[in-house]
Amino acid sequence: MTHQCFYCSDVTEEKKIHIVTFQVTDTDRNEMLCDECYQEWLQGIKG
């Protein structure tokens, strides 16, 4: 099974997908990120 990355729109295998939660206004939104975008997202929240 494959999934599309929320950030870069690349299609990736299920084993390489990461689900992250973004807070949009007062609600949480779960999105899927590929391995590369997930690593960038982690670096962004670390500062």
Side-chain angles (χ1 to χ4, degrees):
M1 182 178 238
T2 58
H3 298 283
Q4 187 172 2
C5 177
F6 171 72
Y7 187 71
C8 72
S9 300
D10 281 351
V11 176
T12 188
E13 294 178 20
E14 186 173 353
K15 294 178 182 177
K16 296 181 181 182
I17 203 78
H18 302 272
I19 299 175
V20 297
T21 303
F22 297 101
Q23 188 171 17
V24 181
T25 57
D26 292 332
T27 60
D28 290 339
R29 181 172 155 182
N30 294 325
E31 296 292 350
M32 293 179 270
L33 297 178
C34 68
D35 222 16
E36 186 176 322
C37 290
Y38 179 69
Q39 294 304 318
E40 289 181 26
W41 178 75
L42 284 177
Q43 289 300 318
I45 63 172
K46 287 182 181 178

